[in-house]
Amino acid sequence: MRSIGLDVGSKTIGVAISDAMGWTAQPIETIQINEQVNDFGYKRLKELIQEYEITTAVVGLPKNMNGTIGPRGEICMQFAENFEKKFKIPVVLWDERLTTMAAERVLLEADVSRGKRKKVIDKMAAVMILQGYLDRNSN
């Protein structure tokens, strides 16, 4: 029973997948999207769902620091709703405040160059979103 973690941005979606036991999240890829023409990478997401036999999706919900939902959060909520309808998989919205900054900090501590950080930051944020969800559910 694997889960997929998604960090939905305006240009990319970071993707992470859990191991079969649901203990750890691994980065998979970053999917290029075009929000303006409503291209959210559904074709590639469908392939990943089938390949990894995904049973749950965890979508990062960017909240403001005061807990309110802004425009980016509303887009993510709409994405989650569309994803659930399209793939018939339950979606959990996960508070992702500070995950991108935390991912950036991990990559800086690992001495990853700026160019390489830019390529992996979204999937690392997806790992943090999914790992948070997995950790909460294991307790």
Side-chain angles (χ1 to χ4, degrees):
M1 303 218 333
R2 291 182 190 246
S3 298
I4 188 169
L6 303 171
D7 179 40
V8 181
S10 59
K11 297 179 182 173
T12 61
I13 296 177
V15 181
I17 304 285
S18 74
D19 67 319
M21 301 298 293
W23 293 340
T24 62
Q26 294 86 32
I28 297 297
E29 66 183 76
T30 301
I31 300 171
Q32 297 297 315
I33 64 171
N34 186 339
E35 192 175 85
Q36 294 180 333
V37 296
N38 209 28
D39 173 14
F40 284 96
Y42 291 128
K43 181 178 182 230
R44 181 63 183 139
L45 288 168
K46 181 179 182 180
E47 292 168 356
L48 291 169
I49 289 166
Q50 292 172 339
E51 178 182 347
Y52 290 98
E53 300 175 350
I54 300 300
T55 58
T56 305
V58 182
V59 174
L61 178 61
K63 293 183 177 181
N64 297 320
M65 292 311 288
N66 66 2
T68 61
I69 305 291
R72 184 87 236 140
E74 289 174 8
I75 289 168
C76 290
M77 289 170 62
Q78 185 64 56
F79 171 85
E81 186 178 318
N82 293 342
F83 184 99
E84 194 167 59
K85 285 178 186 173
K86 187 171 196 65
F87 299 117
K88 308 289 187 264
I89 294 173
V91 175
V92 175
L93 289 167
W94 189 259
D95 184 349
E96 70 164 44
R97 281 179 279 189
L98 306 178
T99 55
T100 301
M101 288 192 314
E104 179 86 16
R105 193 171 29 243
V106 167
L107 294 170
L108 281 169
E109 289 173 6
D111 203 25
V112 176
S113 71
R114 179 177 292 164
K116 289 183 181 174
R117 279 196 314 269
K118 189 174 181 183
K119 292 178 182 174
V120 301
I121 192 76
D122 294 325
K123 62 184 173 182
M124 288 302 297
V127 165
M128 295 187 157
I129 290 164
L130 182 55
Q131 192 64 55
Y133 168 80
L134 295 172
D135 289 348
R136 187 196 69 195
N137 283 350
S138 70
N139 293 332

